[in-house]
Amino acid sequence: LIKMNNVFKTYVLGEVKVPALHAISLNLEDNEYVAIMGPSGSGKSTLMNIMGCLDTPTTGTYYLGRKDVSSLNDNQLSDIRNTKIGFVFQTFNLLPRSSALRNVELPLIYSGMPSLKRKQLAMDVLERVGLNDRMMHKSNELSGGERQRVAIARALVNKPSLILADEPTGNLDSKTGEEIIEIMQRLHEHGNTIILVTHEEYIAKQTKRIIRLRDGVIESDEKKI
Amino acid sequence: LIKMNNVFKTYVLGEVKVPALHAISLNLEDNEYVAIMGPSGSGKSTLMNIMGCLDTPTTGTYYLGRKDVSSLNDNQLSDIRNTKIGFVFQTFNLLPRSSALRNVELPLIYSGMPSLKRKQLAMDVLERVGLNDRMMHKSNELSGGERQRVAIARALVNKPSLILADEPTGNLDSKTGEEIIEIMQRLHEHGNTIILVTHEEYIAKQTKRIIRLRDGVIESDEKKI
Ligand SMILES: Nc1ncnc2c1ncn2[C@@H]1O[C@H](COP(=O)(O)OP(=O)(O)OP(=O)(O)O)[C@@H](O)[C@H]1O
Ligand SMILES: Nc1ncnc2c1ncn2[C@@H]1O[C@H](COP(=O)(O)OP(=O)(O)OP(=O)(O)O)[C@@H](O)[C@H]1O
Ligand SMILES: [Mg+2]
Ligand SMILES: [Mg+2]
């Protein structure tokens, strides 16, 4: 499903170059359940952004489902991002003055789903993440962990085959965090491919493969038997 | 230092009332080191905002240093917030297009410190949180955990006597998180009062008192001997 070959990502700030990723090569099959770990600033979100077609490598190639992503045009990329990939951002990226419900409906509006059906689907997934009685709150009228769960619900509502979740439990107490990981586990059993950035070892232990980054390189890549 | 008596906080959204805090009474002395824990949505950030003079109770009284906060005017409140309290927000609240250095200088600009001295102080505290080579990055050019550390640095730079940190390690790997807690520990030994919201038991165990919230009420309040 995912094939990266010798990917480099360097940010350029005026005269300064920030080498965020260095010689990253990896292969991920369909239906894998992967944790990405590493110190703050080691390149995890940068790697996730490239995998999620939100950013492009400086050099190197990235194949998603055997298509060379650098050969796709903006419309094709937008379509992949909205229908095939569910992305939970580290900083949520919700519309602050729209309700939780509206935020979760957005991917379904994009895919043209009729209004009654999309409301029902959005409500179902909000209920699954425990936000049944917070649906009408605007996202700036929610707690940090509630916003995080709206971001998770929005990523899942389209039932995307690839789920990229960047520290999805960072703002959650351990019980609520485990409920979220339970949802990820079930999606994995249903055939979805799940990639989680986490800094919690107990979460990484529940996945099937742990990739560790350090200073922009892959330090280790271990599959569970 | 902090005395809350029968504090209630209810948010009003049109016709809906959200009772975020219910009958909260607590006393905190100078130089305490307190953890506040509880499920997502239990009222922790709401409590912190009232303690930090960023919000007011719906009913009940709040004394800070024996002054009734509800009797203070805007200028007095602003002065307390900027010189006596250091607040690390759960969502950082940095200026996205200003550098890490500028963000950390802000409280010192407010207190009228001369430019050379304030740059030095800001650089020192950024170095202490491990951001020595990220000082000139704008905050939207930083990783999640780097932004969190800028928010921490900004809260500490004025050497405030009361530090309120709302989930300061939520976006940090465990090693970086421990370095931050180490800084808090040292400030506590120097006489500062520290209140941390955390959902990590290993962090709460290092404090001297754990207050647990559930559904807007204090469920337990335990001091270490
Ligand atoms: N501006 C607001 N308007 C309406 N309700 C709000 C507002 N801010 C927070 N709430 C509600 O008040 C309750 C308490 O919120 P608070 O942010 O204090 O929770 P918290 O304990 O910090 O949660 P978390 O661990 O998820 O950050 C939540 O259920 C939330 O939905
Ligand atoms: N837009 C940008 N411009 C310049 N440098 C950047 C930019 N975004 C990120 N960086 C730098 O690239 C490095 C990797 O960033 P990245 O966000 O991938 O880290 P991360 O592993 O996700 O960290 P965290 O655990 O703190 O979220 C960081 O050192 C960061 O300062
Ligand atoms: Mg990150
Ligand atoms: Mg909170």
Side-chain angles (χ1 to χ4, degrees):
Chain A
L1 178 64
I2 283 179
K3 193 167 163 53
M4 275 191 187
N5 196 14
N6 215 26
V7 161
F8 286 74
K9 178 70 185 181
T10 301
Y11 295 107
V12 180
L13 303 180
E15 302 246 331
V16 175
K17 290 198 170 153
V18 182
L21 292 177
H22 187 93
I24 301 287
S25 292
L26 27 98
N27 292 337
L28 263 76
E29 310 292 328
D30 273 317
N31 200 15
E32 285 210 46
Y33 186 14
V34 185
I36 298 181
M37 302 188 82
S40 175
S42 54
K44 308 180 292 298
S45 297
T46 302
L47 179 60
M48 294 283 273
N49 289 341
I50 290 173
M51 288 201 262
C53 302
L54 293 158
D55 199 0
T56 51
T58 307
T59 64
T61 51
Y62 173 40
Y63 286 84
L64 180 62
R66 271 174 285 168
K67 293 205 189 80
D68 179 351
V69 170
S70 61
S71 70
L72 301 174
N73 66 41
D74 277 355
N75 276 337
Q76 289 168 309
L77 283 173
S78 185
D79 195 66
I80 289 176
R81 280 197 303 262
N82 279 293
T83 60
K84 302 222 165 32
I85 300 176
F87 205 112
V88 185
F89 293 90
Q90 189 171 7
T91 49
F92 317 156
N93 298 4
L94 302 175
L95 301 180
R97 288 187 300 260
S98 297
S99 69
L101 185 66
R102 171 50 47 117
N103 268 283
V104 175
E105 284 185 282
L106 285 178
L108 303 176
I109 292 173
Y110 178 91
S111 59
M113 184 175 288
S115 150
L116 211 63
K117 180 172 186 209
R118 85 174 180 237
K119 247 182 184 48
Q120 189 57 54
L121 263 180
M123 289 173 69
D124 288 349
V125 72
L126 277 164
E127 183 166 0
R128 284 193 74 195
V129 297
L131 292 178
N132 210 1
D133 41 358
R134 287 288 180 271
M135 293 194 195
M136 301 320 297
H137 283 229
K138 297 190 177 64
S139 64
N140 63 8
E141 294 165 342
L142 292 173
S143 80
E146 289 166 348
R147 289 180 209 178
Q148 186 150 43
R149 284 181 277 160
V150 175
I152 292 164
R154 183 183 61 186
L156 302 184
V157 73
N158 238 346
K159 301 184 170 64
S161 50
L162 172 61
I163 294 161
L164 299 171
D166 198 343
E167 300 198 30
T169 65
N171 278 285
L172 300 174
D173 56 284
S174 35
K175 175 159 180 295
T176 314
E178 283 175 24
E179 288 164 17
I180 294 303
I181 296 308
E182 182 72 16
I183 293 172
M184 299 293 169
Q185 178 67 32
R186 212 158 299 152
L187 288 166
H188 166 60
E189 291 163 2
H190 279 189
N192 299 65
T193 306
I194 315 241
I195 306 175
L196 301 176
V197 169
T198 182
H199 51 253
E200 305 260 23
E201 289 284 348
Y202 84 87
I203 291 176
K205 288 203 171 76
Q206 300 182 39
T207 64
K208 299 277 169 59
R209 177 177 177 183
I210 301 177
I211 295 172
R212 294 184 195 266
L213 296 186
R214 180 174 294 278
D215 298 326
V217 298
I218 293 178
E219 185 180 52
S220 66
D221 184 349
E222 294 183 39
K223 271 195 168 123
K224 253 190 198 174
I225 319 297
Chain B
L1 178 65
I2 283 178
K3 192 166 164 53
M4 273 189 188
N5 198 14
N6 215 27
V7 160
F8 285 73
K9 178 69 184 182
T10 301
Y11 295 107
V12 180
L13 303 179
E15 302 245 331
V16 176
K17 290 197 171 156
V18 181
L21 291 176
H22 186 93
I24 301 286
S25 291
L26 29 97
N27 292 337
L28 262 77
E29 310 291 330
D30 272 318
N31 200 16
E32 285 209 46
Y33 186 13
V34 186
I36 297 180
M37 304 189 80
S40 176
S42 54
K44 308 180 293 297
S45 297
T46 301
L47 179 60
M48 293 283 271
N49 289 341
I50 291 174
M51 287 200 262
C53 302
L54 294 158
D55 199 1
T56 51
T58 307
T59 64
T61 50
Y62 172 41
Y63 286 83
L64 180 61
R66 272 173 284 170
K67 292 205 189 83
D68 178 352
V69 169
S70 60
S71 70
L72 302 174
N73 66 42
D74 278 354
N75 276 337
Q76 291 169 308
L77 283 174
S78 184
D79 196 67
I80 288 175
R81 280 196 303 262
N82 280 292
T83 60
K84 304 222 163 30
I85 299 176
F87 205 111
V88 186
F89 294 90
Q90 189 170 4
T91 49
F92 320 153
N93 297 3
L94 301 176
L95 302 181
R97 288 187 299 262
S98 297
S99 68
L101 184 66
R102 170 52 46 118
N103 268 283
V104 176
E105 284 184 283
L106 284 178
L108 303 177
I109 292 173
Y110 178 90
S111 61
M113 184 175 288
S115 150
L116 210 64
K117 181 173 184 206
R118 85 177 180 237
K119 249 185 184 46
Q120 189 58 55
L121 263 179
M123 288 172 70
D124 288 350
V125 70
L126 277 165
E127 182 166 1
R128 283 193 74 194
V129 298
L131 292 179
N132 208 1
D133 40 356
R134 288 288 180 269
M135 291 193 197
M136 300 320 297
H137 283 229
K138 297 189 175 66
S139 62
N140 63 10
E141 293 165 344
L142 292 173
S143 78
E146 291 168 344
R147 289 179 209 179
Q148 185 151 42
R149 285 181 276 160
V150 175
I152 292 165
R154 181 183 63 184
L156 302 184
V157 73
N158 237 346
K159 301 186 169 65
S161 50
L162 172 61
I163 294 161
L164 300 170
D166 198 344
E167 298 196 31
T169 64
N171 279 285
L172 300 175
D173 56 284
S174 37
K175 176 160 179 294
T176 314
E178 284 173 25
E179 288 165 16
I180 294 304
I181 297 307
E182 183 72 17
I183 293 171
M184 299 293 169
Q185 178 66 33
R186 211 159 301 153
L187 287 166
H188 166 60
E189 290 163 1
H190 277 191
N192 298 64
T193 305
I194 315 242
I195 306 176
L196 300 176
V197 169
T198 182
H199 51 253
E200 305 258 24
E201 289 284 349
Y202 83 87
I203 290 176
K205 288 202 171 78
Q206 301 183 38
T207 64
K208 298 276 169 59
R209 176 177 178 182
I210 300 178
I211 296 172
R212 294 185 194 265
L213 295 186
R214 180 174 296 276
D215 298 326
V217 299
I218 293 179
E219 187 180 49
S220 67
D221 184 349
E222 295 183 40
K223 270 195 168 124
K224 256 192 196 171
I225 320 295

